[in-house]
Amino acid sequence: MAIAINTHELTSLLDVTPSWQNIMLTGKHGIGKSQILTAYFETKDMKVKTLFLGQMSDPGDLLGLPTKEEKTGRTTFIPPYWFPMDKKPIVLFLDELNRARPEILQTVMDLVLNRKLAGRPLPEGSRIISACNDGDEYQLTDLDPALVSRFNIYTFRPSEKEWLQWAENNGLDRRVIRFISTHPDMLDCYSDKGEDEGLEKSPDRRAWEKVARLLENVAKPTALHQKIVAGIVGVRAASMLFVSMKDDGLQPEDVLTDFKKVKKHLEKYQLHELSQLNDAIARLFEANKVSELDHDVVNKNLRAYHDFLLEKNHEAYAHFVSLLDGTTYKQMLIWLSKELPDTYKKVITFIRQL
């Protein structure tokens, strides 16, 4: 079994792994492997070329078309569209590796072993990363152990918190974010069988993004919207989402802009509700959306919320502090240290007493 890593660990791993070592990520479909890799390498000014090997029917799709050199009479291959003729290093992302035909895998072997394609070397500093679908529900090709041995292998399991923070950063519909925060098991780990077709439809991260984009400008979703959503994430997930949307609940901005108004509502919250609100507030800071609010108002209300948790619910306060003592959320701690040093001191004191 390969060691499991989340998104934060993947980016840290990429920082220290030499470019000449190939990486293989295994995991479910729709968890954002390509998206995360592209975003990471954009910060390094490197282009990611994604090749869907499961869709290739002939080695020529990977090698390029053969041609005859006039001078030598030898057969060579016209470089494929993705090959970096400018000699700048690239990231070659070989998706669906274990869905590729055996003849495609033979071509891949030379690529990962010698870093050459039909005799043309990849530019120095290029990286090769592959992805494999993991699970009995996929139609897969057995991989040659010699090919597998050329990769460092990791099971990629991005956490629910990482997806929620990504969703906040990218402005996904807050109702979907709140639903996944309340029901993290609905993010991507169950199957929902269709009654008529015998097909399986289950939610995944890509599907939830579709749902969020669909609903983002819909104030009052209708029964038709629910049917559309059911076609994206399954009947069960859609039903639960629409039930949750009937209860608007408190938004993190409510706490940071008018704590006095929402205090009575907060006093009725259970531990799990306060914990979800803590996470939502932390995500707001991490996405830098607090900067859009009046800083003096935020400081006043954040201090009041902190003191409320400290006085009223020790477990919820411990959860609040735990968010500041980890690696997922950093911006709220930075804000406290700069804007509210008195509150920051209480947090640090509490951490030291644990």
Side-chain angles (χ1 to χ4, degrees), residues 26-33 36 156-158 188 204-206:
T26 67
K28 298 288 185 180
H29 66 278
I31 56 176
K33 297 184 287 291
I36 291 168
F156 184 47
R157 293 177 182 166
D188 54 9
D204 57 50
R205 294 155 199 247
R206 186 186 301 128

Side-chain angles (χ1 to χ4, degrees), residues 17-203:
T17 302
S19 62
W20 50 269
Q21 292 189 12
N22 307 319
I23 293 173
M24 179 186 295
L25 302 176
T26 67
K28 298 288 185 180
H29 66 278
I31 56 176
K33 297 184 287 291
S34 178
Q35 194 173 47
I36 291 168
L37 289 171
T38 298
Y40 170 83
F41 284 108
E42 279 181 351
T43 66
K44 309 296 182 182
D45 197 28
M46 291 183 70
K47 293 182 179 180
V48 177
K49 299 293 185 180
T50 301
L51 303 180
F52 295 98
L53 301 186
Q55 299 176 15
M56 294 183 176
S57 58
D58 185 270
D61 295 337
L62 185 62
L63 287 172
L65 295 176
T67 186
K68 182 180 179 180
E69 287 188 345
E70 294 295 334
K71 292 183 179 180
T72 65
R74 295 179 178 178
T75 298
T76 60
F77 289 86
I78 300 172
Y81 73 93
W82 58 265
F83 196 85
M85 299 304 291
D86 58 3
K87 298 184 179 180
K88 293 182 179 179
I90 63 167
V91 179
L92 192 56
F93 182 49
L94 306 176
D95 204 1
E96 302 178 339
L97 181 67
N98 59 342
R99 299 183 73 182
R101 295 169 179 264
E103 55 268 29
I104 300 296
L105 293 177
Q106 292 300 318
T107 304
V108 169
M109 176 69 86
D110 184 43
L111 189 60
V112 300
L113 178 61
N114 301 312
R115 292 183 166 262
K116 291 182 178 181
L117 186 73
R120 290 187 180 86
L122 290 175
E124 188 70 26
S126 293
R127 306 191 70 146
I128 298 177
I129 301 175
S130 70
C132 294
N133 293 323
D134 183 21
D136 296 334
E137 65 271 33
Y138 303 106
Q139 296 179 353
L140 305 177
T141 303
D142 291 333
L143 296 179
D144 189 319
L147 175 61
V148 173
S149 69
R150 302 299 174 181
F151 290 91
N152 303 348
I153 304 176
Y154 307 94
T155 298
F156 184 47
R157 293 177 182 166
S159 69
E160 290 85 1
K161 283 189 175 182
E162 288 174 332
W163 185 86
L164 288 167
Q165 186 60 59
W166 172 86
E168 187 74 61
N169 292 347
N170 286 272
L172 265 61
D173 189 277
R174 184 62 62 76
R175 293 165 295 185
V176 173
I177 293 176
R178 187 162 63 89
F179 173 74
I180 297 301
S181 176
T182 306
H183 304 282
D185 57 310
M186 286 286 129
L187 185 55
D188 54 9
C189 76
Y190 87 89
S191 293
D192 185 22
K193 283 192 175 182
E195 294 180 0
D196 296 326
E197 298 82 5
L199 298 175
E200 292 187 357
K201 183 62 183 178
S202 59

Side-chain angles (χ1 to χ4, degrees), residues 204-243:
D204 57 50
R205 294 155 199 247
R206 186 186 301 128
W208 282 118
E209 181 183 2
K210 290 181 183 178
V211 171
R213 299 302 185 194
L214 171 71
L215 298 177
E216 60 186 357
N217 295 316
V218 182
K220 295 182 179 180
T222 65
L224 177 59
H225 286 104
Q226 184 169 343
K227 286 188 176 182
I228 297 173
V229 171
I232 301 173
V233 295
V235 175
R236 181 183 169 206
S239 177
M240 292 179 66
L241 171 65
F242 274 69
V243 168

Side-chain angles (χ1 to χ4, degrees), residues 314-352:
H314 188 269
E315 289 179 301
Y317 180 71
H319 176 266
F320 177 84
V321 170
S322 72
L323 299 179
L324 306 175
D325 193 32
T327 58
T328 305
Y329 305 124
K330 299 178 181 179
Q331 295 307 313
M332 187 160 64
L333 181 63
I334 294 173
W335 183 286
L336 287 173
S337 66
K338 292 181 177 179
E339 301 285 343
L340 297 171
D342 54 330
T343 301
Y344 175 78
K345 185 176 180 180
K346 292 178 182 178
V347 169
I348 297 302
T349 300
F350 184 86
I351 292 174
R352 289 174 178 172

